[in-house]
Amino acid sequence: MSTPGEVGGRLRIGSATDTGRVRDHNEDAVLAEGTVFVVADGMGGHAAGEVASGIVVETLRELVGRDGLTTEDVTGQVLQANERILASVAAHPEQRGMGTTATGLALVTHEDRAQWAVFNVGDSRAYRLLGDELTRVTVDHSEVQELVDAGIITAAEAQVHPARNVVTRSLGAPLAHDPDLWVVPLTPGERFLVCSDGLTNEVTDEQLRDMLQAHPEPRDAADALVRAAVAAGGRDNVSVVVVALDDADVDPGSTGDR
């Protein structure tokens, strides 16, 4: 399923999600509204994982259209999502063990100008494409990322490591850290990709770059990326949001119909 969108003729948006070939239901949740974009990859089995990811999306949706959005607002809302997940588990013990990643970006006012706030908890990812260069903005909270950082395995080995799906941080447990957050200046012509690991476990970064370049319309890019992940094996749910910035003069408080 894909969803196009546009904000004031300056941001173009596309999103898509698919259950994949192996799982029997989709625990991912996607938000692509106004100037807030999120992918949450739920975990915990039937009902529980999708409850956790749904709580993240509904909590972050409260930021859409908020005037004067700041980085502190974004961080606070992610933390609020975690508290709501914990409260849901307390009220429904059968949900015990559920959790979710939370990765995305939002337009905020920072240092008196509009900038991107990119945030992450878990191993979903945000990438930035500018020209021919695709850069991963986020850093995975995962066992294999720690092994890569320590120089024990290579990035290529991490792609096939048996622990590649083991996350070291997620929402659904008391947080020892705030979500990671990066502030990125707006640059006309840039595109962002936010995705669950159902994409990155099946498609290489080079393939991501090539497909984003081959499909300048975000809706087409989102559909192509999801199709590629499913065709490559579709071993997990796969969800993506693609955001294209055509003009840096964007109001962080603006919203648009999807």
Side-chain angles (χ1 to χ4, degrees):
M1 180 185 67
S2 64
T3 305
E6 184 174 329
V7 179
R10 302 181 180 100
L11 283 179
R12 291 177 294 115
I13 307 157
S15 63
T17 187
D18 194 279
T19 302
R21 294 183 170 186
V22 176
R23 305 295 178 89
D24 61 7
H25 69 296
N26 196 339
E27 292 183 286
D28 288 357
V30 174
L31 174 65
E33 295 182 18
T35 55
V36 181
F37 313 101
V38 182
V39 168
D41 180 356
M43 58 198 91
H46 281 279
E50 60 202 55
V51 169
S53 62
I55 289 172
V56 167
V57 162
E58 291 309 310
T59 303
L60 271 295
R61 181 175 278 119
E62 295 170 7
L63 297 177
V64 175
R66 183 180 296 184
D67 291 335
L69 192 64
T70 67
T71 57
E72 290 80 9
D73 292 330
V74 174
T75 296
Q77 207 70 4
V78 175
L79 297 176
Q80 178 65 242
N82 194 57
E83 291 303 314
R84 292 177 183 178
I85 293 170
L86 294 173
S88 183
V89 171
H92 305 280
E94 69 276 10
Q95 296 174 349
R96 188 171 306 280
M98 76 174 179
T100 183
T101 69
T103 305
L105 66 153
L107 273 174
V108 300
T109 300
H110 183 73
E111 296 180 344
D112 297 323
R113 65 182 187 275
Q115 302 196 59
W116 293 112
V118 181
F119 59 91
N120 180 58
V121 178
D123 64 351
S124 295
R125 294 179 179 176
Y127 291 84
R128 179 176 180 263
L129 177 70
L130 185 61
D132 293 330
E133 184 174 2
L134 181 71
T135 304
R136 193 201 308 179
V137 182
T138 55
V139 177
D140 292 352
H141 298 139
S142 67
E143 286 193 3
V144 293
Q145 185 64 53
E146 292 182 357
L147 294 173
V148 171
D149 292 344
I152 297 172
I153 64 173
T154 66
E157 289 170 334
Q159 282 290 111
V160 295
H161 195 281
R164 64 185 178 276
N165 294 321
V166 178
V167 297
T168 54
R169 291 193 217 172
S170 63
L171 301 185
L175 291 179
H177 307 275
D178 284 350
D180 289 347
L181 189 140
W182 299 261
V183 176
V184 181
L186 274 61
T187 303
E190 68 188 350
R191 279 194 284 171
F192 283 88
L193 165 66
V194 184
C195 60
S196 63
D197 67 347
L199 177 67
T200 54
N201 283 340
E202 305 287 5
V203 181
T204 67
D205 285 6
E206 291 77 14
Q207 291 171 317
L208 296 179
R209 180 197 62 206
D210 292 346
M211 280 186 280
L212 286 169
Q213 291 179 322
H215 300 280
E217 179 55 48
R219 176 178 56 181
D220 297 337
D223 286 339
L225 289 163
V226 168
R227 284 197 305 269
V230 173
R235 291 168 290 179
D236 198 355
N237 310 145
V238 53
S239 298
V240 306
V241 178
V242 180
V243 181
L245 178 67
D246 297 327
D247 184 342
D249 183 21
V250 178
D251 177 6
S254 65
T255 59
D257 296 331
R258 293 195 301 154

